[in-house]
Amino acid sequence: MADAEDVIVRLLKLSISIIVYISDRVADGLRKCLSSGNTRRHVILYYHSIPDEKRDKFSHQMDMVKRHAEPIMLTGNINTSKSAVSITFDDGIENVYRNAVPELVARGIPFTIFVTSGYVGRQADWIKNRAEYREERLMSVEQLLEISKMELAEIGSHSVSHKDLTTIDENDARREIAESKNMLEKILNVEILTFSYPYGKYSRTHVTYAKEAGYMRTYSIEPRVASLEGYVNGRFSVGLDDWDMEFILKMKSSYRWLIAVAKWKSLISKY
């Protein structure tokens, strides 16, 4: 019963996203005819774990990225006629090194890994309900060093211990944000310019702390189109079990309507 309900919800979301996609195409066509406005979008996708048994699914999704968009570095400019997509991973799980990195390199797709610095080489024990995390460790220093030297790769910070910044003391939150940058720069000897908020949760104070720490940009998990002018950029969650149409529409930012739903639910919960 639960599986059937899940499929119904996914189909509903897919249907709404198709309508958004069609509306975008019509609006883009009008802009082109009127030579007004940029029709290219920068969409950031994010993953966590890439288990061995799902490597083929990941490689298939990366083929779709190459076919339907222009893969660019997270902080790169859009210089093509296609809309741009950036691939990111939160946490720094070791199976990303084993299964995702080779597929990305083989296709010439840039990527960013946001690392939880205090757990390098250790198990990600902050998540208890996902089977793939129970057996996986975060990447080792040696693995991160190897990745940091790749032209296609960028290492970002994901805090020291993956705590929800909105639930801890402000001084602790400041340390989580700043010390993770310092730790990664020390062990990798590269500048860490980007930060991903654990669980996607943050406040204006945390944005200020990130600026103080020296991050060029930060990233949430709100499904919003990215902007070089924005300091906090949204990202779209993708799963290895996504249907092809779901994945393509996420690449096209057609699932961004979910932000409005989340805000509506938040407003209703206050009453």
Side-chain angles (χ1 to χ4, degrees), residues 77-240:
N77 291 308
I78 305 176
N79 296 317
T80 70
S81 57
K82 288 184 179 180
S83 290
V85 167
S86 295
I87 305 298
T88 68
F89 302 87
D90 279 359
D91 303 336
I93 300 294
E94 195 272 341
N95 64 21
V96 170
Y97 168 86
R98 188 170 64 247
N99 297 319
V101 172
E103 301 294 342
L104 291 161
V105 171
R107 291 165 176 77
I109 298 177
F111 60 95
T112 299
I113 299 174
F114 292 105
V115 179
T116 307
S117 62
Y119 280 80
V120 171
R122 296 168 53 195
Q123 284 188 307
D125 62 6
W126 58 84
I127 297 183
K128 306 295 184 184
N129 61 346
R130 293 186 186 175
E132 67 264 29
Y133 278 80
R134 297 188 193 123
E135 302 299 327
E136 291 289 352
R137 306 169 73 85
L138 265 64
M139 296 177 204
S140 66
V141 171
E142 293 73 22
Q143 290 167 335
L144 288 171
L145 279 168
E146 180 184 341
I147 291 173
S148 70
K149 295 172 183 176
M150 297 177 180
E151 285 188 17
L152 293 171
E154 179 182 17
I155 302 294
S157 166
H158 197 43
S159 81
V160 174
S161 58
H162 206 284
K163 292 177 180 175
D164 179 347
L165 300 178
T166 64
T167 64
I168 61 177
D169 177 83
E170 286 191 4
N171 289 328
D172 288 339
R174 179 186 268 122
R175 281 193 293 271
E176 286 281 330
I177 293 169
E179 288 186 12
S180 58
K181 184 178 194 295
N182 296 334
M183 290 170 69
L184 290 171
E185 289 181 340
K186 185 175 181 180
I187 64 176
L188 300 178
N189 195 31
V190 295
E191 192 172 12
I192 304 298
L193 297 175
T194 55
F195 181 84
S196 166
Y197 299 100
Y199 307 105
K201 296 182 179 181
Y202 66 97
S203 69
R204 290 182 180 179
T205 302
H206 303 130
V207 173
T208 299
Y209 293 160
K211 289 179 179 178
E212 290 175 352
Y215 293 105
M216 182 171 67
R217 286 193 187 88
T218 61
Y219 299 86
S220 71
I221 58 172
E222 298 162 327
R224 290 187 285 111
V225 176
S227 167
L228 287 176
E229 287 73 42
Y231 187 74
V232 181
N233 274 294
R235 297 180 295 164
F236 290 75
S237 171
V238 285
L240 296 171

Side-chain angles (χ1 to χ4, degrees), residues 254-267:
S254 302
Y255 273 73
R256 65 184 184 277
W257 61 272
L258 288 170
I259 293 180
V261 174
K263 288 181 179 179
W264 180 77
K265 286 183 178 178
S266 176
L267 185 63

Side-chain angles (χ1 to χ4, degrees), residues 25-36:
R25 292 298 298 269
V26 171
D28 289 347
L30 288 172
R31 290 192 191 97
K32 287 181 180 178
C33 288
L34 299 172
S35 298
S36 99

